Amino acid sequence: MASAWCWSCLSRLRPTPQAVLPPSSAIPRGTSAFHSSAIQYAPPLKKKSNSMTQLKYRQGQTLRRKKKKTVEKARPPAPGERKALRKRIVLSNPNALEVEGMQEISAENIVDARLRGSVLGLPVPMLDQLRAVQAFKPKQGWSIFRRPGAVVRRDTVEMGRLFEKISGEGDAPEKGKVVKKVVTGMKGSGKTVHLLQAMSMAFLKKWVVVTVPEARELVSGDTAYVPVEGSKPTQYIQPGATSALLMRTVEANREVLSSLKVSQKHEIAGLKPTSSLEDLAKLGFQDPAVAWPVFKALWTELTATAAAPGMEKDFQPRPPMLVAVDGLAHWMQNSAYRDVDFNLIHAHDLIFVKHFLSLLRNGQAELKNGGMLLYATSTSNNPGVYALEVALPPPSTPQPRPTATLTPRVLDLFKPIEGKEPQMELQTLGGLTRDETRGYLEYFARSGLLREPINEQWVGEKWSLSGGGIIGELEKLGRHVRSAAIPTPTA
């Protein structure tokens, strides 16, 4: 299509003055001369500089970065340091007040019913023995008082009388008797402290104390285990756990074991006829490979009533024994160990566990010199074995559910035995009485933890808040420091 404009019309247009147009040198290269925007409003172009041409002679071009400040990291904890800190036991608080006139537990006052409700201190020389058998627990409130002590309750006095009867002199009718008890109770009722009081009484009476402070550690799969050749069903030995038991026994009963000589013949390398029972036990924890044969030999010596022929010269009567186990329910189910077919091993197939459980049925036959068996259950770390709840003696025996699966091995363990073997007793710990609660809280006040007037109304309130005198709850209520506000002096 032809344009409406002709060449003659375009030639008639008036030319633009030269002054209005920008000079040709001001027009940047690469920019169209027919651009519609004004060139004076465009940003000025930066001059490109060739850095290589500006370098001086022998001047290098390097990458410069800011140095990061080196932060010193904390030293990682050594192997076993966290576990040692978690299980650390503190038995004294120098900031607490010293209770004046505080009595210590002794062989004479353990049967005094007039001391019910009072707190008796543990003798200082005995603390090392109690530490050796791991009688103290980390979460107990030992670190808030000047010195460790335990409250005397009705169950404590009854237990002290049993120790007196078993240790009776002469032809006492109860001498040499074996008492078997399973200690139960709700959380915080003082089951572990009850075992501690039993250990302290046994040390005062010069008994031999053998303890298993944590039954769970034997079935949790943390220790080595070896099958016994030729055993059907297959039994398993735990050399490390047996060696640790021998070490605890030697440290706690060194005075008694060092005074007793070997009276039986044993096929153990390094054992001499003139060796003491302490020397015999040391062979076990020095070499865990022979720990179980050494333990059987030591048990035979401690339960012997007469010496072997030809070894009557240095024979001395053996003292009674106290066997204490905490956390019994862990031994009533499958352990964390597995056999060659990768099947779970029941706890009763571990020889170490089987030995202590057999004492519940044959305690009188095993402990021929008398003694006491105290096996406590744990409510803070309890696996909840229903067969154990059914197997325990009355009054706590529930009727088994029709759909429940009961383990026959657990039920057979607690079946009563007719004959000379004494029956196992069930001891259920409850709360303190009101009088015992008042004496226990007065000990907190004398230690500087309570600054409130202790009267009958206040004691009744705390007794009710603690669930009827549960000692663990009373400790929580008594350890809070309450001080009256100091008035500001006015001018």
Side-chain angles (χ1 to χ4, degrees):
M1 178 178 181
S3 175
W5 296 84
C6 59
W7 177 256
S8 60
C9 295
L10 292 174
S11 61
R12 293 175 186 175
L13 294 176
R14 182 179 298 179
T16 305
Q18 188 70 22
V20 177
L21 296 176
S24 59
S25 61
I27 300 177
R29 296 180 180 179
T31 306
S32 175
F34 296 96
H35 200 279
S36 59
S37 60
I39 192 64
Q40 59 267 25
Y41 299 115
L45 296 178
K46 295 183 179 180
K47 185 177 180 181
K48 296 183 179 180
S49 60
N50 190 359
S51 59
M52 299 301 296
T53 59
Q54 295 180 0
L55 294 177
K56 296 182 179 179
Y57 180 68
R58 290 185 178 180
Q59 180 180 0
Q61 185 177 11
T62 58
L63 180 63
R64 296 180 180 181
R65 294 181 178 178
K66 294 183 179 180
K67 294 183 178 180
K68 295 183 179 180
K69 296 182 179 180
T70 57
V71 180
E72 295 183 0
K73 296 183 179 180
R75 179 185 63 87
E81 184 177 351
R82 291 178 178 175
K83 183 177 181 181
L85 184 62
R86 187 173 65 252
K87 292 191 174 184
R88 185 181 60 172
I89 306 295
V90 180
L91 298 180
S92 177
N93 184 7
N95 297 322
L97 298 179
E98 185 174 357
V99 180
E100 299 181 357
M102 182 178 180
Q103 300 185 31
E104 291 186 354
I105 183 173
S106 62
E108 292 76 18
N109 58 15
I110 58 176
V111 294
D112 192 354
R114 296 174 297 180
L115 296 177
R116 285 182 55 184
S118 58
V119 178
L120 299 182
L122 301 175
V124 177
M126 190 189 297
L127 297 182
D128 294 336
Q129 294 177 290
L130 294 174
R131 278 183 178 272
V133 294
Q134 301 180 10
F136 302 104
K137 302 299 179 182
K139 295 184 179 180
Q140 294 172 342
W142 306 108
S143 60
I144 62 177
F145 300 106
R146 188 78 174 189
R147 56 174 300 185
V151 63
V152 179
R153 54 201 299 181
R154 177 177 57 86
D155 304 278
T156 308
V157 178
E158 294 178 355
M159 183 172 57
R161 292 173 180 172
L162 289 176
F163 275 93
E164 287 287 340
K165 294 178 181 179
I166 299 174
S167 303
E169 299 179 357
D171 298 332
E174 302 292 337
K175 184 179 180 181
K177 181 182 177 181
V178 176
V179 177
K180 302 182 296 184
K181 289 188 177 183
V182 176
V183 183
T184 62
M186 63 183 304
K187 183 178 180 180
S189 57
K191 299 181 292 295
T192 305
V193 177
H194 187 71
L195 296 183
L196 182 144
Q197 292 175 325
M199 298 174 198
S200 60
M201 295 178 186
F203 286 133
L204 291 173
K205 294 293 185 180
K206 304 299 180 182
W207 287 21
V208 176
V209 180
V210 180
T211 64
V212 180
E214 290 290 344
R216 182 186 61 85
E217 295 181 355
L218 297 177
V219 295
S220 59
D222 298 332
T223 60
Y225 64 108
V226 181
V228 180
E229 297 181 0
S231 58
K232 293 183 180 180
T234 307
Q235 306 291 310
Y236 299 87
I237 300 175
Q238 298 169 286
T242 311
S243 178
L245 173 66
L246 291 173
M247 185 180 299
R248 293 195 303 266
T249 306
V250 170
E251 292 295 331
N253 307 277
R254 189 182 302 274
E255 182 181 355
V256 178
L257 296 180
S258 60
S259 62
L260 300 176
K261 301 296 181 180
V262 175
S263 62
Q264 309 295 323
K265 296 181 181 180
H266 310 287
E267 296 181 358
I268 299 177
L271 182 63
K272 301 178 182 179
T274 58
S275 300
S276 62
L277 298 188
E278 179 185 1
D279 300 331
L280 172 63
K282 284 183 178 180
L283 297 175
F285 63 80
Q286 290 176 355
D287 186 7
V290 296
W292 181 249
V294 169
F295 176 76
K296 292 193 298 182
L298 179 63
W299 192 268
T300 303
E301 292 288 345
L302 292 175
T303 57
T305 56
M311 306 183 68
E312 299 89 351
K313 180 180 179 181
D314 298 328
F315 178 78
Q316 297 180 7
R318 303 326 194 196
M321 297 178 60
L322 170 66
V323 180
V325 178
D326 198 358
L328 179 63
H330 291 280
W331 289 355
M332 302 300 159
Q333 59 180 358
N334 290 330
S335 66
Y337 299 99
R338 294 183 180 272
D339 56 10
V340 293
D341 298 328
F342 207 68
N343 297 322
L344 290 174
I345 300 174
H346 198 274
H348 294 187
D349 292 331
L350 303 174
I351 291 186
F352 190 98
V353 175
K354 184 179 180 180
H355 170 77
F356 286 97
L357 291 180
S358 64
L359 299 178
L360 290 176
R361 295 187 59 83
N362 306 315
Q364 190 66 50
E366 291 285 342
L367 304 179
K368 301 176 183 179
N369 299 304
M372 185 179 297
L373 305 174
L374 291 179
Y375 290 26
T377 59
S378 176
T379 50
S380 58
N381 183 16
N382 190 17
V385 182
Y386 182 69
L388 178 62
E389 300 177 3
V390 176
L392 289 178
S396 66
T397 303
Q399 294 295 331
R401 298 191 296 266
T403 58
T405 303
L406 301 179
T407 307
R409 306 180 72 169
V410 178
L411 299 178
D412 295 341
L413 180 65
F414 294 94
K415 281 185 178 180
I417 301 177
E418 299 180 359
K420 297 182 179 180
E421 185 67 25
Q423 299 297 331
M424 181 188 59
E425 303 176 13
L426 180 66
Q427 183 179 6
T428 304
L429 295 182
L432 303 179
T433 62
R434 291 180 180 267
D435 295 337
E436 295 170 353
T437 301
R438 176 162 188 165
Y440 184 59
L441 294 177
E442 285 178 352
Y443 175 71
F444 279 80
R446 295 168 65 187
S447 299
L449 296 177
L450 283 178
R451 299 184 182 181
E452 296 183 4
I454 299 178
N455 48 37
E456 294 297 333
Q457 181 180 1
W458 187 84
V459 171
E461 176 188 352
K462 303 304 178 186
W463 185 86
S464 301
L465 291 175
S466 61
I470 300 299
I471 192 170
E473 301 299 328
L474 287 175
E475 180 185 340
K476 296 178 182 178
L477 296 174
R479 66 191 306 172
H480 298 293
V481 179
R482 299 180 180 89
S483 58
I486 302 177
T488 304
T490 57

